[in-house]
Amino acid sequence: MTVFWFRRDLRLEDNRALYEALVQSNSVLPIFIFDPSILDQLEPTDARVTFIHELLQKIQQQLLPLGKSLAVFHGDPLAVIQQLLKQHPITEVVANRDYEPNARHRDKAIYEALATHNIPFKTYKDQVIFEKNEVVKDDGLPYVVYTPYSNKWKSIFTSEQLEPYPSENYLFNLAHHSYPFLSLTQIGFQVSTIRVSLYDISAQLIDNYEQTRNFPALNKTSYLGAYLRFGAVSIRQMVKIASQSAHKTFLNELIWREFFMQILWHFPHTTRASFRPKYDSVQWTNNEADFEKWCNGQTGYPFVDAGMRELNATGHMHNRVRMIVASFLCKHLLIDWRWGETYFAQKLLDYEQSSNVGNWQWAAGSGVDAAPYFRIFNPSEQIKKFDAQLVYIKKWVPELEELTYPNPMVDHKMARERCLRTYKSAVG
């Protein structure tokens, strides 16, 4: 028997590792494991857990008419797999690769445990077009600037990379079993009131993306992030759709995702330390009361407050606004980017560690391809450029013109000069 382990690939269609398992074995046990070491860090109404469970239910509903079902477990992954080894004559375990540091550590432990039983743990590339060392400089070193990475990515990209793996055609090779499909309550969670928005990758959205993507009031984002994060859609299918447009801005965004993924793979320390080490010398003030105002959207800067309130209410924040609120936290308040990264990790429905770390380090000036530290967004000027009619801001800050709305918590000119002094003393 082969065990197929669903992770960040929650779909039956065009699933690389599932396809490989099904064409090589006529007895494949499909499993999903809710890991308490992850779940215990989350609120019991976390919307992402609800979303994951809904994706699993969709898989289950597709399998039941075929007389098949998904086995859902709640426990330490290594312990679950060791239990399965005792209960079945397992010949291999198959999964799609995960590139985050904690996932790599987990997979290494499982690989080594299975090796003691002479059972292979086979993993495949599924959530990216190019992984690891597949897009590197001519000398074999990783790219640390986006544009040359993107150019190389495009130069080696061919339609062959988009060939689907028709896993959905081989589901008859799934094994029969008597394991349960656990409910949300059985893993200690409740259905969230926050919903993941339906994604939009229509030709109209993609063709107009460059003109519309910076204006949050237009709401012209794809909402694709959460679906890619959990593998509800195939990256091959998404890149195929994006590459068919004459306008490449949306495709470039998908390449950005892979750029940050390979950065995290090559430089896993960047989850906790600056990519540019000298930036770890920045003397953050880390004022907890200031951080609380930022978290709650009470800074007195309307664009910042609107973004944080949108995040808290919906689990989503417009990309342009993410840059504004991140710059404000690091540069105006001199609060460590890791505080902001952690808060986003708690709240964002589309939280992707590589992109989140990469973008926060960009905002702080400490990362790859980073904005120079002396580039400091003026939140008021950003309103003039991207929400001049205050449509987005008034949606989330309805008391904007009331006396109850707070005064700016810091003066922009003072904060800018303080930031420049602080950074300059750290990095020269």
Side-chain angles (χ1 to χ4, degrees):
M1 175 182 279
T2 295
V3 171
F4 172 73
W5 181 11
F6 280 102
R7 289 136 41 123
R8 293 184 48 170
D9 51 354
L10 303 183
R11 65 188 189 283
L12 292 172
E13 307 79 21
D14 188 15
N15 184 318
R16 171 76 188 278
L18 178 59
Y19 170 81
E20 299 291 352
L22 291 170
V23 297
Q24 294 171 38
S25 170
N26 61 6
S27 181
V28 177
L29 175 65
I31 71 168
F32 182 86
I33 306 170
F34 281 106
D35 184 346
S37 72
I38 298 171
L39 297 187
D40 290 351
Q41 301 174 48
L42 306 176
E43 295 291 322
T45 54
D46 192 291
R48 293 163 296 191
V49 180
T50 295
F51 184 56
I52 289 168
H53 198 265
E54 288 172 349
L55 294 173
L56 297 175
Q57 284 179 309
K58 181 183 175 185
I59 290 171
Q60 182 77 335
Q61 287 159 6
Q62 289 173 278
L63 293 180
L64 288 177
L66 306 174
K68 313 290 184 179
S69 70
L70 178 62
V72 177
F73 298 93
H74 180 221
D76 172 66
L78 180 56
V80 170
I81 287 171
Q82 287 174 327
Q83 187 63 33
L84 291 174
L85 293 183
K86 295 175 185 173
Q87 295 167 344
H88 302 280
I90 290 168
T91 54
E92 63 181 9
V93 176
V94 177
N96 285 309
R97 277 194 278 280
D98 195 337
Y99 308 101
E100 293 181 357
N102 288 343
R104 290 168 67 183
H105 180 74
R106 174 202 63 202
D107 287 357
K108 183 173 182 284
I110 288 172
Y111 175 87
E112 290 171 352
L114 288 170
T116 64
H117 299 277
N118 293 316
I119 296 173
F121 180 27
K122 297 180 180 176
T123 62
Y124 296 89
K125 176 178 67 172
D126 183 71
Q127 59 169 302
V128 289
I129 302 300
F130 295 113
E131 65 173 8
K132 300 182 180 180
N133 287 312
E134 290 185 334
V135 181
V136 290
K137 295 188 251 185
D138 292 343
D139 60 7
L141 293 174
Y143 285 103
V144 296
V145 177
Y146 171 74
T147 301
Y149 171 87
S150 174
N151 291 339
K152 183 70 167 280
W153 192 103
K154 290 172 181 172
S155 74
I156 62 176
F157 170 72
T158 68
S159 59
E160 286 178 19
Q161 271 102 20
L162 303 181
E163 284 297 312
Y165 295 90
S167 41
E168 65 276 14
N169 294 342
Y170 296 89
L171 299 176
F172 53 83
N173 279 337
L174 290 175
H176 295 280
H177 64 85
S178 56
Y179 293 109
F181 182 94
L182 298 179
S183 67
L184 261 183
T185 53
Q186 285 174 304
I187 61 167
F189 279 75
Q190 302 151 30
V191 176
S192 176
T193 55
I194 293 177
R195 311 299 298 166
V196 175
S197 298
L198 295 174
Y199 68 89
D200 177 6
I201 46 160
S202 61
Q204 183 183 20
L205 180 128
I206 292 173
D207 289 348
N208 297 319
Y209 199 67
E210 177 61 36
Q211 284 73 44
T212 60
R213 67 187 180 128
N214 278 309
F215 301 94
L218 297 178
N219 197 25
K220 293 296 183 183
T221 53
S222 69
Y223 293 99
L224 192 58
Y227 294 85
L228 288 172
R229 171 70 179 86
F230 299 111
V233 294
S234 159
I235 186 62
R236 290 172 288 279
Q237 185 65 20
M238 298 303 107
V239 169
K240 183 176 183 179
I241 292 168
S243 61
Q244 287 169 347
S245 172
H247 306 272
K248 298 306 178 191
T249 305
F250 193 84
L251 176 64
N252 289 338
E253 292 298 305
L254 296 176
I255 298 173
W256 264 109
R257 174 177 170 270
E258 300 204 357
F259 173 67
F260 280 138
M261 279 196 177
Q262 62 94 31
I263 288 293
L264 186 58
W265 189 80
H266 284 287
F267 307 100
H269 71 279
T270 53
T271 59
R272 60 190 185 278
S274 297
F275 178 80
R276 302 167 192 264
K278 61 185 179 181
Y279 281 82
D280 281 329
S281 301
V282 173
Q283 295 298 301
W284 307 107
T285 61
N286 289 344
N287 182 298
E288 292 189 11
D290 287 354
F291 182 64
E292 197 72 17
K293 288 179 180 176
W294 178 84
C295 290
N296 294 327
Q298 296 290 342
T299 68
Y301 280 90
F303 225 155
V304 175
D305 292 343
M308 296 308 295
R309 295 183 193 187
E310 180 189 22
L311 175 64
N312 293 331
T314 69
H316 176 76
M317 192 194 296
H318 188 276
N319 283 345
R320 165 57 56 177
V321 188
R322 293 186 198 197
M323 288 192 275
I324 295 167
V325 304
S327 174
F328 185 84
L329 185 74
C330 299
K331 305 285 179 67
H332 282 70
L333 301 184
L334 281 181
I335 289 176
D336 193 328
W337 63 266
R338 282 158 282 231
W339 289 33
E341 198 277 332
T342 299
Y343 192 76
F344 272 28
Q346 293 166 357
K347 296 288 184 178
L348 278 175
L349 296 176
D350 64 0
Y351 174 73
E352 178 85 71
Q353 187 179 42
S354 54
S355 299
N356 204 47
V357 168
N359 282 315
W360 270 100
Q361 291 228 34
W362 180 88
S366 62
V368 296
D369 219 14
Y373 73 76
F374 46 81
R375 179 183 177 186
I376 300 170
F377 284 133
N378 180 330
S380 303
E381 291 298 315
Q382 292 285 308
I383 294 174
K384 296 176 187 175
K385 291 180 181 177
F386 301 114
D387 193 33
Q389 304 304 312
L390 303 177
V391 175
Y392 171 78
I393 287 169
K394 285 188 174 178
K395 177 180 179 181
W396 295 107
V397 189
E399 80 279 23
L400 181 64
E401 289 156 0
E402 307 291 333
L403 292 174
T404 53
Y405 185 64
N407 291 322
M409 60 188 291
V410 288
D411 174 72
H412 170 69
K413 186 170 183 290
M414 180 282 294
R416 184 177 186 280
E417 290 170 356
R418 180 181 64 174
C419 174
L420 292 174
R421 280 197 311 272
T422 303
Y423 268 73
K424 192 171 185 181
S425 68
V427 303

